[in-house]
Amino acid sequence: IVFEDEFILIVNKPQSQNCAPSREHPHESLVEQVLAYLMNKDVQTNPHIVTRLDRNTSGLVLFAKFGHIHHLFSKVKFEKEYICLAYGRTQPEGVVEAPIARDSDSIITRKVSDKGKYAKTSYYTIVQNNTLSLCKVKLHTGRTHQIRVHFQFMGHPIVGDDLYGGVHHLVKGQSLQCCSLKFVHPINHNKISINIDYKQLIQLFNVL
């Protein structure tokens, strides 16, 4: 838990954990852990996920403790930043504006397509070597798998992302972390700014 008040909870999710139960992973999800935590505090509620992450993406996830708070978040604008480790040498900075659609051959994967919905991603390179780039990424839209699809589209798939061309024999799951979350609190209207370090991806960059 990196932030909590009477209305919301922000946690730092590890890799290889679902935000919510799925058919393949019916238990040990993040929402179940949050529910147990609140029950132990005698808070009688069903927590709602506000900002969701893929199973193998780590980082900040926001929960509303009550349904009416979750509803209020539908009108809140978020600023989210990520860190990723990508193959190749990315440009010092860049913007990708490419529409994303569901892949007709899969119920999971997405692809860049003229038939898709508008999607915009910007990034700048923190450090790189001859084969890898560590990048800070900002989402301007919120399409499914957006960063993963856009980095593959650029020719720089994310290391470990076997769904989008980033297979690595030592890395399982995409090297992607939500490291920053900013928004205006829907109840007290305070500006919330949460940042976590990304030393694990720096260490991975140095090892690989």
Side-chain angles (χ1 to χ4, degrees):
I1 297 170
V2 295
F3 180 88
E4 182 179 10
D5 64 17
E6 59 185 306
F7 306 107
I8 66 174
L9 187 73
I10 302 175
V11 301
N12 183 7
K13 186 185 84 68
Q15 197 181 50
S16 302
Q17 183 182 29
N18 279 29
C19 281
S22 68
R23 184 175 62 183
E24 293 79 11
H25 304 95
H27 301 297
E28 300 181 355
S29 68
L30 193 61
V31 71
E32 290 172 291
Q33 289 184 325
V34 171
L35 176 60
Y37 168 76
L38 294 175
M39 289 176 64
N40 288 335
K41 294 180 66 176
D42 292 325
V43 178
Q44 302 302 314
T45 184
N46 288 316
H48 294 70
I49 303 170
V50 180
T51 62
R52 188 183 299 262
L53 293 178
D54 298 335
R55 173 178 172 82
N56 284 322
T57 299
S58 62
L60 298 171
V61 178
L62 168 64
F63 286 86
K65 292 184 178 180
F66 307 98
H68 69 282
I69 303 298
H70 183 251
H71 175 71
L72 292 176
F73 270 115
S74 64
K75 299 181 180 179
V76 172
K77 182 179 180 180
F78 293 96
E79 289 186 39
K80 292 192 287 184
E81 291 185 341
Y82 293 74
I83 296 293
C84 74
L85 184 60
Y87 281 106
R89 292 179 61 85
T90 55
Q91 295 296 317
E93 59 182 74
V95 177
V96 183
E97 289 185 89
I100 293 176
R102 195 183 286 269
D103 193 332
S104 58
D105 296 329
S106 172
I107 61 171
I108 299 173
T109 58
R110 303 300 197 267
K111 64 180 181 180
V112 169
S113 169
D114 292 339
K115 298 179 181 178
K117 294 182 179 179
Y118 175 76
K120 180 180 179 181
T121 306
S122 61
Y123 73 92
Y124 71 86
T125 303
I126 299 171
V127 63
Q128 61 187 186
N129 56 30
N130 289 332
T131 58
L132 299 171
S133 297
L134 189 68
C135 300
K136 178 164 277 193
V137 187
K138 184 174 182 179
L139 284 178
H140 300 272
T141 53
R143 308 304 174 204
T144 300
H145 298 174
Q146 180 174 318
I147 294 174
R148 301 165 66 186
V149 173
H150 275 175
F151 268 72
Q152 180 192 43
F153 179 69
M154 288 195 299
H156 299 288
I158 294 174
V159 174
D161 191 352
D162 57 3
L163 201 60
Y164 294 103
V167 173
H168 193 288
H169 69 286
L170 294 177
V171 182
K172 304 302 179 185
Q174 62 268 13
S175 304
L176 180 64
Q177 177 192 60
C178 180
C179 63
S180 176
L181 184 63
K182 299 176 183 178
F183 59 94
V184 175
H185 197 294
I187 299 296
N188 57 37
H189 305 297
N190 291 336
K191 291 183 178 179
I192 306 295
S193 180
I194 305 296
N195 297 276
I196 55 175
D197 68 57
Y198 44 92
K199 60 184 178 182
Q200 286 184 321
L201 285 181
I202 293 176
Q203 292 171 349
L204 185 61
F205 172 84
N206 291 331
V207 168
L208 299 181

